[in-house]
Amino acid sequence: MSDAAGLYVHIPFCLTRCGYCDFNTYAGLDHLSNRYVEALHREAELWATEWQDATFVSLFLGGGTPTTLQHEALIDLLNHLRSTFRFEPDAEITSEANPDTVDEPYLARIRTGGVARLSMGVQSFDPMVLEALERIHSPESARKAFAAARRAGFEDVNLDLIFGANGESIDSWKRTLEQAIALAPEHLSCYALTIEPATPLGRKVAAGLTPPPDPDLQADMYDVACELLSEASFEHYEVSNWARPGHRCRHNLGYWEGRPYLGLGAGAHSYRDGRRWWNVRPPQQYLAMVTAGGRPVGGEETLTDGERKTERLLLGLRTAAGIPADWVQEGRVDGFVAHGLAERRDGRLILTDRGFLLANEILLAFDTDFRGPRDPLGQPSALRQGRPGSWKSV
C-alpha cells in the first residue's frame, strides 16, 4: 500500500520583498527563472525512485510568487512533475499568486494546464495597512485579480489576510473581513502579523521607529474574524484557516495530520518516517548543486519518539478535529474545559476558538517534555514548510 503524500515546490522569485517577510524569497533574480525551473525538473528526477511508492494527493506551488513564472514554464513544470511522480486522479493542485502578477488570460492558461486552486496574497483591503506592510498592490487590483480568477474558471480560491499591522484598527480589520467575505471566496487564511528580527520591519521595531503589534489588539482581531466568518458560514477548521464546506486545503491538512511530504526547490522542507530534511536556501547554491548532479540538501534531523509525540499533539490541537482524549493524562484537561478553552467530543479533545489563542500554554500543560521555539498560536518553528519565517498555510 502506498503512502498518501504531499508535494511542495518552492518558487523564490518576487516582484519586491515586503518589509515583514523573511520567507526564502528574492526580488531581482527573475533572470534565473528558466534555469531554476530546469533544476526543479532535475531535482524531481533525483527523488523519483525513492518516492515511487508514494501517491501524491496534493501539489502546492508556493513562494515567493509562482505566478512570476511565464505560464508556459509553470505548465511545463506541472506536466513534468505529473510524469515523474504518481498522483491521485483528483489530486489538489494549488498555486500561490500575487494580484499584480496575474490577469485573466494568464489565469485561464494555468487553469487549463492543471492548477485548480488559487491562493491569493491580498493581506488587506485597507490602503493604509497595505502601505504599512509594504505591499505593492492596491485593494482594487486585488478585487480585479479575484474577478479575473472567476472568469478564468477558478472555483476554489483562497485569500490570505494579515492582521495587526501598524495603524490598523478593529474597524479597519472588520472592513477588510467584510470585503473579503463579499467576494465569496471558498477559503480564507487569517494570520497575526509577527515580527521577525532579520527583516526590515524587525529592524525598525528594534530601533523604536515602528511599534510592535499589540498582542491584546491582535487577540481581539482574531475574535472578530472568528465571529464574522462563522456568521458567513465558514468552517473554522484550523487555527488560522476557514473554509466553505468541501473546500478545506487538502495539502495543508497533510502537514497537520502528519502525512509525508516532499519539498522541491531552494529552502524547501521534506518529511517522511520521522526524518526531516531541507534544501539549501540561496537559489544560486541550489542551482549549482542540482546542476552538478547532486541533491541540494542543506541539513536534516531525525525526530525522537518524544519529539514526534509532541508534534502530533501540537498539530492535532491546531485543527478542529483535535486529538484523541486518551493522548492526555487524566486531570490535565479539566481546567481548560471549565474555562471554555477546550471541549470533549466523541472521545476527542478539541480546542475552542478561545483555546486556539492559548495553544502554547495548553500544549505545555499537556506535554511537559516540549521545549524549543514556537510561533504565535502554537506553531513550532521546526514545522515551517519551505520557509524560515512564520508559518504560512494556504
Side-chain angles (χ1 to χ4, degrees):
M1 183 176 179
S2 64
D3 289 336
L7 180 62
Y8 175 83
V9 182
H10 190 71
I11 309 297
F13 310 116
C14 278
L15 296 179
T16 62
R17 188 174 171 86
C18 302
Y20 64 90
C21 176
D22 77 341
F23 301 159
N24 190 35
T25 63
Y26 305 83
L29 292 185
D30 288 4
H31 61 283
L32 297 177
S33 61
N34 289 338
R35 290 176 55 205
Y36 187 84
V37 171
E38 291 173 3
L40 289 172
H41 287 208
R42 178 59 182 146
E43 188 190 2
E45 294 164 3
L46 292 172
W47 289 106
T49 300
E50 191 166 327
W51 287 77
Q52 64 182 350
D53 60 339
T55 298
F56 289 93
V57 300
S58 64
L59 190 166
F60 193 100
L61 299 171
T65 310
T67 49
T68 58
L69 297 179
Q70 296 294 317
H71 67 84
E72 298 94 342
L74 193 151
I75 293 170
D76 187 46
L77 174 61
L78 290 181
N79 288 337
H80 186 80
L81 294 172
R82 287 181 292 199
S83 67
T84 303
F85 301 108
R86 180 170 56 205
F87 282 86
E88 277 196 351
D90 64 344
E92 174 192 85
I93 300 181
T94 302
S95 177
E96 291 186 334
N98 181 299
D100 283 343
T101 63
V102 294
D103 56 20
E104 184 179 347
Y106 181 97
L107 291 169
R109 290 186 180 103
I110 67 170
R111 178 68 187 89
T112 301
V115 178
R117 184 174 183 273
L118 201 65
S119 183
M120 199 172 296
V122 171
Q123 316 314 355
S124 177
F125 286 101
D126 185 327
M128 183 192 70
V129 174
L130 291 174
E131 183 178 354
L133 293 172
E134 298 183 17
R135 299 291 292 185
I136 61 174
H137 70 266
S138 67
E140 183 57 28
S141 66
R143 284 187 283 268
K144 288 181 177 179
F146 185 89
R150 288 299 198 218
R151 292 194 301 270
F154 280 93
E155 299 177 347
D156 199 348
V157 180
N158 169 65
L159 301 181
D160 270 356
L161 303 176
I162 291 179
F163 58 91
N166 182 34
E168 185 174 33
S169 65
I170 286 285
D171 287 342
S172 168
W173 171 237
K174 185 177 180 181
R175 288 192 296 271
T176 280
L177 287 168
E178 290 171 342
Q179 292 181 62
I181 292 168
L183 291 176
E186 285 68 37
H187 193 285
L188 283 166
S189 298
C190 303
Y191 307 106
L193 176 65
T194 58
I195 303 300
E196 303 294 344
T199 63
L201 180 57
R203 289 188 286 272
K204 287 180 181 179
V205 170
L209 301 175
T210 299
D214 180 338
D216 291 332
L217 178 60
Q218 285 186 316
D220 291 340
M221 290 176 168
Y222 186 75
D223 287 341
V224 168
C226 292
E227 179 181 352
L228 291 183
L229 295 177
S230 174
E231 291 173 355
S233 300
F234 283 85
E235 297 174 341
H236 191 185
Y237 73 99
E238 192 271 343
V239 169
S240 301
N241 288 273
W242 289 257
R244 300 286 187 190
H247 290 280
R248 297 181 180 189
C249 179
R250 193 175 185 184
H251 184 80
N252 283 340
L253 280 170
Y255 296 141
W256 302 320
E257 294 172 359
R259 295 202 299 265
Y261 53 88
L262 173 64
L264 305 177
H269 286 221
S270 304
Y271 174 78
R272 197 174 193 184
D273 298 328
R275 175 176 168 256
R276 182 175 292 115
W277 64 97
W278 48 92
N279 285 350
V280 295
R281 288 168 48 81
Q284 296 91 335
Q285 185 182 7
Y286 169 82
L287 288 172
M289 293 177 72
V290 176
T291 301
R295 292 176 178 174
V297 175
E300 65 177 278
E301 62 181 351
T302 299
L303 304 182
T304 66
D305 289 345
E307 289 168 337
R308 294 178 75 172
K309 169 197 167 189
T310 294
E311 291 198 356
R312 294 303 307 125
L313 274 172
L314 178 54
L315 293 174
L317 287 172
R318 287 182 64 89
T319 71
I323 60 173
D326 59 10
W327 283 14
V328 181
Q329 289 183 14
E330 196 67 36
R332 288 192 174 181
V333 177
D334 297 344
F336 295 108
V337 172
H339 286 87
L341 301 176
E343 298 175 351
R344 292 186 181 91
R345 191 186 310 156
D346 299 325
R348 300 187 70 83
L349 181 66
I350 298 167
L351 297 189
T352 64
D353 287 345
R354 289 183 61 210
F356 279 150
L357 278 170
L358 297 173
N360 280 8
E361 290 77 3
I362 293 171
L363 176 69
L364 287 170
F366 291 168
D367 181 19
T368 55
D369 294 331
F370 181 80
R371 297 291 183 273
R374 206 176 358 250
D375 290 334
L377 302 180
Q379 178 59 41
S381 59
L383 294 178
R384 301 155 173 163
Q385 167 54 50
R387 305 172 165 97
S390 305
W391 178 263
K392 180 187 176 192
S393 37
V394 290

